[in-house]
């Protein structure tokens, strides 16, 4: 069973920000999740790198402004790989 | 990578077990999840679930503070998850970037107000020796020598200042060498070179650590080299987030920290119990016979021999070894005694269980035979089924997974943090021999009808002496490790013991015991403090090796005499119950102390020194050494 990339990213965010999975939407971002500060953003990036086995560039990290965008960046990266 | 159904089940299972209140089983599910999926993805989940289990599982807490020159934050959930799995509840605090020197030097800084038990000084070469790192080829040799000196002196100053302000353990990262030296291959042609200069600083660090109590070096350079410098670093993340370590390598740094935190928290294993067939040798002795089993310096026997070498190294560290195997005892003993490939021999094992009884029962017997808590046993077995069964039947035992390939066995044992020790006492190194003497004693005991005759036959000599530089490490170690005959279970570091010994009115005494079979070494500690006309016993403990030999009476008698000679009117003892110290519960009652208080925190006992003395059993010869009692 392979969940969609968006769902997997939501799962990571749910654990990291200690929020129920239902509460994590594509538009969830540092704007609407209190604990999503710069340290947690780094943790989020590192967890995604580990999960998908890739390394994200500074530009890509910049683009990951919300959960949906993060999933998009990873999808693009995996397609190119 | 995908989320597998199995892992979803483990997460759901853990949550169900937590809400059902089955803390032990929930812990087992979480530990299994961590074994399968250890990493940044699963760490926050584990941490939040273990936090829900606080108070329902036996956990020791440890306040750990980081002083750093780089981003360590992403490593902390990994470390906390790893620690929770090993029964350690870490509270962490991370200092500001590159503020470590100010934090150390200012005794009112948040470093000290956090009151940490452990402090990790994690700084990197580019931050403390930037000129050496980037401008090496511009610098003449004398300047380089002075940089090496300067950096070493700075560390010495920080460490000394820290020691004056805190008794916490201090773990200092060594400095890393460059993956690509500035002078290229020329670096290795120079007498010292850039990498050699960094190495010289690291040698100074070791020396400085050795001059202070409770200061340890974490070989960060060696850690990087072990995993490959180029794979270890992530230059991009360093430049944008001050995070120099690649995401998939952070777990190795967390695990290296654990190799210090486990011994500092006391959550170590005291004995490693090993299976035989396909663990200590390849094949099945009962079927393949002496000539058929694989064991020797060449492939395929080499993996097993390397494991035996790793186990011998543990024995040198004071960890006991034992065998637990389902086998015909004659076949297996023949191999243990006579197989030319064996590095371990029967004398190296403190206990041997070769039978067809189930292993859970055998492990319990080994623990009770050696007077060890069941949670101080670690167990290795090639058979995953046996391992799973043991995890279910005796969840306290530390069951170590072996990889399928025997060539990986030794590394697993060497990497396991429960076998780490931060200092060795002579007792540690002689432990196996002591257990052999113990077996002779037990054998002799059976031939006597009553205990007193046996005690007389033993010819025990006890010696009480004030703690000194030679015994300090062992005294602190006993306060940290003794669980059973321990009246108050107060854990002290070397630094704390030294401080207590120097306070006026305090006595820190060690007890050494020997008898006709050999030397037990330093096996007891008593700490007393005088308040007004009463002398309170802060700590009274006895290593399990000498429980039931009546030497505790001799030590108590000495405390009473000493207090009386210092004009105290009464001796006050305290019993603080724990999960493990039932053997000490009746101690004061048995010696005629009067109970003056009893509540949920424990009981307080009083002995009047005006009328009474406590008799030393006539079969013990007590020798006392006077130190400078203040």
């Amino acid at each position: 069973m392979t969940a969609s990339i968006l769902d997997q990213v939501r799962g990571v965010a749910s654990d990291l920000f200690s929020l129920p999975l239902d509460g994590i939407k594509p538009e969830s971002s540092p704007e609407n999740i209190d604990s999503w500060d710069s340290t947690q953003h780094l943790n989020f990036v590192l967890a995604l790198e580990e999960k998908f086995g890739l390394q994200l560039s500074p530009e890509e990290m910049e683009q990951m402004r919300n959960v949906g965008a993060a999933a998009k960046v990873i999808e693009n990266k995996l397609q190119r790989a | 990578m995908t989320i597998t159904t199995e892992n979803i089940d483990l997460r759901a299972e853990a949550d169900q077990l937590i809400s059902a209140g089955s803390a032990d089983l929930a812990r087992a599910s979480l530990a299994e999840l961590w074994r399968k999926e250890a990493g940044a993805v699963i760490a926050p989940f584990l941490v939040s679930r273990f936090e829900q289990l606080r108070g329902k599982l036996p956990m020791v807490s440890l306040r750990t503070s980081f002083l750093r020159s780089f981003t360590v934050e992403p490593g902390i959930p990994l470390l906390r998850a790893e620690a929770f799995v090993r029964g350690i509840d870490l509270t962490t605090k991370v200092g500001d970037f590159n503020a470590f020197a100010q934090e150390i030097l200012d005794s009112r800084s948040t470093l000290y107000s956090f009151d940490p038990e452990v402090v990790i000084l994690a700084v990197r070469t580019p931050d403390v020796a930037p000129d050496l790192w980037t401008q090496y080829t511009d610098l003449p040799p004398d300047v380089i020598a002075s940089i090496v000196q300067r950096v070493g002196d700075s560390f010495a100053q920080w460490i000394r200042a820290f020691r004056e302000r805190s008794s916490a353990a201090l773990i200092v990262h060594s400095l890393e060498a460059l993956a690509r030296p500035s002078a290229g291959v020329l670096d290795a042609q120079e007498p010292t070179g850039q990498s050699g200069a960094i190495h010289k600083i690291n040698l100074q660090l070791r020396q400085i650590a050795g001059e202070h109590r409770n200061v340890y070096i974490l070989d960060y350079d060696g850690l990087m080299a072990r995993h490959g410098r180029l794979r270890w670093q992530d230059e991009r993340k360093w430049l944008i987030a001050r995070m120099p370590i690649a995401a998939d390598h952070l777990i190795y740094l967390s695990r290296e920290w654990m190799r210090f935190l486990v011994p500092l928290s006391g959550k170590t294993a005291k004995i490693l119990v090993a299976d035989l067939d396909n663990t200590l040798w390849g094949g099945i002795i009962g079927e393949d016979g002496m000539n058929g089993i694989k064991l020797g310096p060449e492939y395929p026997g080499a993996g097993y021999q390397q494991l035996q070498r790793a186990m011998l190294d543990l024995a040198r560290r004071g960890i006991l070894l034992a065998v637990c195997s389902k086998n015909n005892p004659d076949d297996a003993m023949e191999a243990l005694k006579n197989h030319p490939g064996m590095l371990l021999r029967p004398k190296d094992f403190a206990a041997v269980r070769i039978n067809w009884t189930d292993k859970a029962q055998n492990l319990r017997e080994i623990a009770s035979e050696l007077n060890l808590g069941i949670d101080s046993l670690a167990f290795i077995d090639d058979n995953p089924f046996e391992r799973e069964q043991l995890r279910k039947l005796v969840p306290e035992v530390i069951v170590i997974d072996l990889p399928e390939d025997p060539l990986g066995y030794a590394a697993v044992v060497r990497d396991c943090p429960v076998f780490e020790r931060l200092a060795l006492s002579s007792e540690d190194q002689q432990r196996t021999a002591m257990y052999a003497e113990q077996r002779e004693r037990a054998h002799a005991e059976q031939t006597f009808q009553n205990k007193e005759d046996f005690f007389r036959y033993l010819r025990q000599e006890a010696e009480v002496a004030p703690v000194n530089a030679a015994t300090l490490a062992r005294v602190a170690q006993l306060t940290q490790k003794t669980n059973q005959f321990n009246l108050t279970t107060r854990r002290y570091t070397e630094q704390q013991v030294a401080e207590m010994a120097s306070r006026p009115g305090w006595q820190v005494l060690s007890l050494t015991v020997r008898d006709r079979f050999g030397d037990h070494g330093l096996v007891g500690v008593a700490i007393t403090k005088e308040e007004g006309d009463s002398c309170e016993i802060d700590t009274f403990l006895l290593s399990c090796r000498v429980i039931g030999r009546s030497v505790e009476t001799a030590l108590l008698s000495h405390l009473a005499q000493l207090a009386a000679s210092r004009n105290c009117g009464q001796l006050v003892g305290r019993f603080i119950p724990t999960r493990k110290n039932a053997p000490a519960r009746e101690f004061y009652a048995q010696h005629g102390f009067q109970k003056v208080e009893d509540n949920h925190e424990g009981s307080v006992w009083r002995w009047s020194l005006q009328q009474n003395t406590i008799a030393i059993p006539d079969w013990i010869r007590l020798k006392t050494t006077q130190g400078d009692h203040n």
Side-chain angles (χ1 to χ4, degrees):
Chain A
M1 185 183 90
T2 307
S4 79
I5 288 183
L6 177 61
D7 284 347
Q8 294 186 56
V9 173
R10 286 176 57 226
V12 170
S14 150
D15 282 340
L16 195 63
F17 303 122
S18 296
L19 291 168
L21 192 56
D22 304 342
I24 305 286
K25 308 252 179 327
E27 53 278 10
S28 296
S29 75
E31 310 293 310
N32 47 41
I33 294 180
D34 285 345
S35 60
W36 193 334
D37 57 12
S38 61
T39 302
Q40 284 292 61
H41 188 67
L42 181 60
N43 285 341
F44 185 50
V45 169
L46 295 172
L48 294 176
E49 289 187 350
E50 178 195 294
K51 184 163 195 75
F52 295 99
L54 41 79
Q55 272 204 6
L56 296 160
S57 72
E59 292 77 9
E60 286 162 334
M61 282 176 67
E62 189 75 6
Q63 287 164 25
M64 296 163 58
R65 289 197 189 86
N66 60 37
V67 167
K72 195 92 203 144
V73 165
I74 286 164
E75 231 162 44
N76 288 339
K77 189 120 183 162
L78 288 175
Q79 270 164 17
R80 270 181 283 136
Chain B
M1 277 194 227
T2 57
I3 299 178
T4 64
T5 334
E6 189 186 12
N7 291 334
I8 290 175
D9 285 347
L10 272 176
R11 294 173 59 133
E13 184 183 275
D15 275 338
Q16 275 164 18
L17 291 165
I18 291 169
S19 50
S22 310
D24 278 326
L25 293 173
R27 194 201 73 88
S29 288
L30 291 170
E32 188 181 343
L33 185 57
W34 187 247
R35 281 198 303 279
K36 291 184 168 148
E37 289 270 301
V41 176
I42 210 75
F45 174 82
L46 251 87
V47 169
S48 75
R49 295 319 186 263
F50 271 111
E51 281 174 344
Q52 294 172 27
L53 290 168
R54 272 197 187 121
K56 296 171 186 132
L57 289 173
M59 286 198 243
V60 293
S61 63
L62 202 61
R63 300 163 67 77
T64 303
S65 197
F66 290 84
L67 299 171
R68 47 67 181 271
S69 71
F70 62 94
T71 304
V72 297
E73 284 84 340
I76 288 181
L78 297 171
L79 178 67
R80 291 192 62 207
E82 190 88 25
F84 268 130
V85 167
R86 301 202 174 274
I88 305 167
D89 183 355
L90 278 188
T91 311
T92 55
K93 180 186 168 297
V94 179
D96 290 334
F97 272 102
N98 283 323
F100 55 91
Q102 297 94 295
E103 287 181 89
I104 288 172
L105 298 174
D106 177 4
S107 55
R108 286 166 308 176
S109 71
T110 55
L111 167 65
Y112 301 112
S113 59
F114 177 69
D115 193 22
E117 289 151 284
V118 184
V119 174
I120 298 176
L121 177 57
V123 295
R124 295 175 64 231
T125 324
D127 302 310
V128 291
D131 29 15
L132 200 56
W133 190 257
T134 52
Q135 295 151 48
Y136 176 78
T137 53
D138 302 343
L139 306 171
D142 59 319
V143 174
I144 290 169
S146 72
I147 292 171
V148 167
Q149 188 65 40
R150 185 200 74 210
V151 176
D153 289 348
S154 302
F155 271 101
Q157 189 203 352
W158 298 330
I159 291 169
R160 197 180 323 112
F162 178 79
R163 223 346 111 252
E164 283 163 5
R165 291 161 177 74
S166 167
S167 61
L170 178 65
I171 299 162
V172 182
H173 281 207
S174 76
L175 298 185
E176 71 200 74
L178 287 93
R180 298 187 173 91
S182 308
V185 296
L186 201 53
D187 197 64
Q189 318 314 316
E190 295 173 17
T192 305
Q194 192 178 19
S195 46
I198 294 167
H199 182 62
K200 273 189 177 168
I201 300 174
N202 287 337
L203 291 178
Q204 290 187 57
L205 287 183
R206 290 180 190 216
Q207 194 180 343
I208 299 160
E211 290 162 5
H212 295 273
R213 280 191 197 110
N214 223 2
V215 177
Y216 311 101
I217 301 297
L218 181 152
D219 185 5
Y220 187 80
D221 185 57
L223 174 66
M224 270 184 93
R226 188 153 78 241
H227 293 280
R229 290 184 200 286
L230 295 176
R231 290 179 188 280
W232 183 269
Q233 59 201 23
D234 183 338
E235 188 63 22
R236 282 208 186 95
K237 295 239 174 28
W238 167 245
L239 292 172
I240 58 167
R242 295 287 137 196
M243 228 296 284
I245 305 164
D248 57 350
H249 281 61
L250 268 171
I251 185 87
Y252 303 120
L253 177 56
S254 303
R255 288 190 170 146
E256 199 69 11
W257 287 333
M258 279 306 286
R259 298 172 82 166
F260 291 81
L261 299 182
V262 167
L264 286 168
S265 70
K267 286 277 185 181
T268 51
K270 294 175 182 166
I271 177 164
L272 171 58
V273 186
D275 168 49
L276 292 177
D277 291 334
N278 287 316
T279 301
L280 287 198
W281 54 66
I284 295 164
I285 186 73
E287 291 170 15
D288 303 319
M290 281 285 272
N291 297 325
I293 58 171
K294 302 178 200 91
L295 178 61
E298 308 296 334
Y299 186 83
Y304 305 99
Q305 213 178 45
Q306 285 162 13
L307 171 64
Q308 294 196 18
R309 182 62 244 184
M311 289 171 67
L312 268 179
D313 290 339
L314 297 190
R316 304 285 179 262
R317 231 178 262 171
I319 291 151
L320 297 170
L321 305 177
V323 162
C324 176
S325 163
K326 283 182 180 160
N327 248 313
N328 179 354
D330 292 343
D331 298 341
M333 281 313 287
E334 168 72 4
L336 286 179
K337 280 183 191 151
N338 298 322
H339 194 286
M342 285 293 295
L343 302 181
L344 295 166
R345 292 294 179 194
K347 67 170 171 45
D348 295 310
F349 298 108
V352 175
R353 286 289 183 288
I354 302 168
N355 54 42
W356 299 96
T357 315
D358 77 281
K359 292 195 176 175
Q361 177 61 26
N362 278 320
L363 290 186
R364 287 203 189 90
E365 278 180 31
I366 290 174
S368 90
E369 177 183 324
L370 300 174
N371 249 323
L372 296 170
I374 188 84
D375 60 352
S376 59
L377 264 68
F379 175 73
I380 48 170
D381 194 316
D382 66 294
N383 184 336
F385 175 77
E386 292 274 8
R387 296 198 299 257
E388 272 323 296
Q389 227 188 5
L390 272 170
R391 285 196 177 107
K392 295 221 162 62
L393 293 172
V394 243
E396 301 92 339
V397 170
I398 303 156
V399 177
I400 298 170
D401 279 336
L402 290 177
E404 297 228 338
D405 181 359
L407 281 172
Y409 285 3
V412 168
V413 167
R414 290 187 190 281
D415 286 346
C416 194
V418 300
F419 301 125
E420 293 295 349
R421 298 292 185 267
L422 297 175
L424 288 188
S425 62
S426 57
E427 275 80 5
D428 287 329
Q429 285 150 311
Q430 293 157 11
R431 188 155 295 137
T432 307
M434 285 182 182
Y435 275 89
E437 291 164 6
Q438 197 75 356
R439 276 203 296 273
E440 288 178 50
R441 268 181 209 107
H443 184 73
E445 186 168 5
Q446 285 166 3
T447 65
F448 286 92
Q449 297 292 329
N450 78 50
K451 270 215 137 99
E452 293 191 9
D453 289 346
F454 171 59
F455 288 155
R456 287 201 173 82
Y457 172 77
L458 272 181
R459 290 204 305 257
Q460 299 184 92
E461 289 173 28
E463 184 175 346
V464 180
V467 70
N468 59 39
T471 56
L472 183 63
R474 172 67 178 165
V475 165
Q477 186 190 47
L478 277 177
T479 71
Q480 286 157 25
K481 296 202 319 192
T482 309
N483 296 318
Q484 298 183 53
F485 200 96
N486 194 337
L487 276 299
T488 54
T489 320
R490 291 178 177 142
R491 312 295 193 192
Y492 294 121
T493 61
E494 286 181 37
Q495 185 76 16
Q496 289 168 323
V497 172
E499 275 169 24
M500 285 187 286
S502 67
R503 279 183 217 153
W506 285 65
Q507 314 287 343
V508 180
L509 302 170
S510 66
L511 172 75
T512 48
V513 176
R514 69 184 73 83
D515 63 26
R516 66 184 302 147
F517 291 102
D519 202 338
H520 285 288
L522 202 168
V523 285
V525 174
I527 301 174
T528 62
K529 61 173 173 187
E530 287 161 28
E531 265 168 24
D533 96 313
S534 92
C535 176
E536 182 177 335
I537 303 172
D538 173 274
T539 294
F540 193 104
L541 63 84
L542 212 59
S543 157
C544 53
R545 262 184 251 160
V546 289
I547 293 181
R549 297 272 187 259
S550 74
V551 290
E552 62 275 23
T553 304
L555 180 57
L556 187 65
S557 159
H558 178 68
L559 293 187
Q561 260 179 19
L562 188 63
S565 76
R566 295 172 60 80
N567 301 319
C568 291
Q570 56 175 358
L571 192 58
V572 175
R574 202 175 281 274
F575 174 75
I576 303 172
T578 66
R579 283 160 53 102
K580 292 180 172 171
N581 70 350
R585 180 175 299 136
E586 300 305 321
F587 178 63
Y588 289 123
Q590 281 159 359
H591 289 86
F593 278 56
Q594 197 191 347
K595 196 194 284 183
V596 291
E597 221 180 292
D598 195 354
N599 57 39
H600 64 285
E601 283 168 12
S603 47
V604 180
W605 301 77
R606 193 178 153 276
W607 174 269
S608 167
L609 294 162
Q610 265 101 25
Q611 309 98 7
N612 306 307
T613 55
I614 299 169
I616 299 174
D618 64 7
W619 50 81
I620 293 179
R621 253 185 53 203
L622 180 70
K623 198 178 142 197
T624 57
T625 309
Q626 299 299 318
D628 50 344
H629 289 308
N630 29 53

